[in-house]
């Protein structure tokens, strides 16, 4: 029975050796490929800098007007538009304008990257059950993994800065747009697809002219959830140098500055509500339009 008492020690030793091997191999990988990854993500860094400069260097009345026009044309609701304007004026009055613009620019970049990656992956999943079977477990892990864990490999590869923060945010926020793109395309009525086949439509024509337009409201719901999850990562991303509203909140936590934390938290909530209400209203408008067209 001695092996029963030795087994935990053996298991611990084996596990320790496994962890050591993984850590050493990953360090070797980062030393060998770190510069290559930095080069690959250089366009993302330039895009982020351009977006941030655009938001910060544009006079605030113009930014306010553009956001108000976007809110109005997307929602056609004066209450949502008024809330957006009043919230941004309050944010500016409390001296949080620059941090808010940095946060909005980061969310914009993260959303664009998530759309560019997530929608094609969702389309591939919708067209292949095998692809769906492979990707779904990966998405399950991405959605259940603690958000802090995403920062570890990204920081080891790229160091501390904006680009690692954007990558971590995208990894955390991308699952909803992939899942709902897949769901929206699969939910398209088969009778409509059969009618498209009867007219001799190719697979690309069916996707472009039938499936994507009909799935657009569901895809918009995925974009809405991606934006909300990206905003939820703002404070965590501040831990690795992402500028914006998350850094003052992090400072408030570390130094017990109650007022700074509350004011910046208020700004994050206002931005979240604006993005949420505008994108939801636009999704509802799309749904009604499609019901009229196909009804």
């Amino acid at each position: 029975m001695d092996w029963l008492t030795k087994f935990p020690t053996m298991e611990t030793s084996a596990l320790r050796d496994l962890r050591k091997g993984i850590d050493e191999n990953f360090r070797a990988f980062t030393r060998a490929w770190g510069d290559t990854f930095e080069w690959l993500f250089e366009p993302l860094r330039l895009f982020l800098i351009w977006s941030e400069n655009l938001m910060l260097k544009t006079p605030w009345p113009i930014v306010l007007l553009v956001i108000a026009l976007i809110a109005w044309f997307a929602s056609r609701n004066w209450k949502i538009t008024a809330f957006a304007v009043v919230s941004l004026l309050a944010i500016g009055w409390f001296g949080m304008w620059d941090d808010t613009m940095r946060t909005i620019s980061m969310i914009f970049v993260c959303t664009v990257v998530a759309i560019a990656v997530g929608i094609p992956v969702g389309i591939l999943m919708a067209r292949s059950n095998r692809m769906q079977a492979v990707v779904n477990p990966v998405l399950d892990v991405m959605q259940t993994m603690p958000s802090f864990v995403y920062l570890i490999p990204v920081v080891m590869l790229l160091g501390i800065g904006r680009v690692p923060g954007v990558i971590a945010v995208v990894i955390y926020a991308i699952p909803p747009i992939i899942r709902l793109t897949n769901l929206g395309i699969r939910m398209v009525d088969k009778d409509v697809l059969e009618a498209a086949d009867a007219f001799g439509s190719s697979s690309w024509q069916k996707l472009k002219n039938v499936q994507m337009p009909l799935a657009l409201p569901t895809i918009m719901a995925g974009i809405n959830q991606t934006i909300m999850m990206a905003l939820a990562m703002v404070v965590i991303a501040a831990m690795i140098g992402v500028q914006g509203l998350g850094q003052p909140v992090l400072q408030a936590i570390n130094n017990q500055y109650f007022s700074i934390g509350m004011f910046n938290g208020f700004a994050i909530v206002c931005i979240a509500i604006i993005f949420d209400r505008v994108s939801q209203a636009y999704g509802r408008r799309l749904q009604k339009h499609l019901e009229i067209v196909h009804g």
Side-chain angles (χ1 to χ4, degrees), residues 201-235:
S201 299
S202 65
S203 296
W204 167 248
Q205 288 173 328
K206 280 196 298 182
L207 176 66
K208 180 171 69 74
N209 299 324
V210 179
Q211 291 173 304
M212 288 299 291
L214 292 176
L216 202 53
T218 306
I219 295 172
M220 280 301 303
I223 294 173
N224 170 271
Q225 291 303 306
T226 291
I227 293 171
M228 294 300 103
M229 292 182 71
L231 274 167
M233 277 285 285
V234 165
V235 178

Side-chain angles (χ1 to χ4, degrees), residues 3-213:
W3 65 274
L4 286 176
T5 58
K6 293 180 180 179
F7 183 73
T9 306
M10 293 167 56
E11 183 183 26
T12 302
S13 177
L15 186 59
R16 186 166 54 248
D17 291 340
L18 177 63
R19 289 201 301 262
K20 185 179 178 181
I22 292 173
D23 290 343
E24 289 177 353
N25 286 326
F26 191 76
R27 289 193 194 100
F29 177 79
T30 57
R31 285 193 294 268
W33 295 94
D35 292 339
T36 303
F37 277 99
E38 287 184 10
W39 176 77
L40 286 174
F41 288 114
E42 181 65 12
L44 180 60
R45 187 184 71 85
L46 296 175
F47 181 33
L48 183 60
I49 291 172
W50 172 83
S51 174
E52 189 174 296
N53 288 337
L54 179 67
M55 298 298 293
L56 289 173
K57 293 182 178 180
T58 304
W60 70 265
I62 296 177
V63 174
L64 193 65
L65 178 62
V66 170
I67 292 176
L69 289 173
I70 292 172
W72 170 253
F73 284 114
S75 66
R76 298 298 170 91
N77 188 315
W78 68 268
K79 292 181 180 179
I80 294 175
T81 306
F83 176 81
V85 171
V86 171
S87 297
L88 290 172
L89 286 173
I91 285 169
W93 188 69
F94 281 109
M96 297 178 292
W97 182 265
D98 286 353
D99 284 338
T100 301
M101 293 302 103
R102 290 188 182 97
T103 296
I104 290 176
S105 68
M106 189 193 73
I107 298 303
F108 168 71
V109 170
C110 291
T111 303
V112 169
V113 174
I115 290 171
V117 176
I119 289 181
V121 173
I123 292 170
L124 291 174
M125 288 176 65
R127 297 171 73 88
S128 169
N129 289 331
R130 183 176 296 178
M131 182 72 174
Q132 180 176 249
V134 170
V135 175
N136 266 335
V138 177
L139 296 178
D140 291 338
V141 172
M142 290 169 68
Q143 288 188 295
T144 54
M145 185 81 73
S147 51
F148 287 96
V149 177
Y150 295 124
L151 304 180
I152 298 170
V154 174
V155 170
M156 290 182 70
L157 272 175
L158 300 171
I160 291 175
R162 304 176 191 179
V163 173
V166 170
I167 294 170
V169 171
V170 170
I171 293 172
Y172 179 75
I174 202 172
I177 193 170
I178 296 176
R179 288 189 186 279
L180 288 173
T181 299
N182 173 38
L183 178 65
I185 293 174
R186 286 178 178 269
M187 286 176 60
V188 174
D189 195 339
K190 291 183 179 179
D191 292 338
V192 178
L193 296 178
E194 289 175 0
D197 288 332
F199 282 103
S201 299
S202 65
S203 296
W204 167 248
Q205 288 173 328
K206 280 196 298 182
L207 176 66
K208 180 171 69 74
N209 299 324
V210 179
Q211 291 173 304
M212 288 299 291

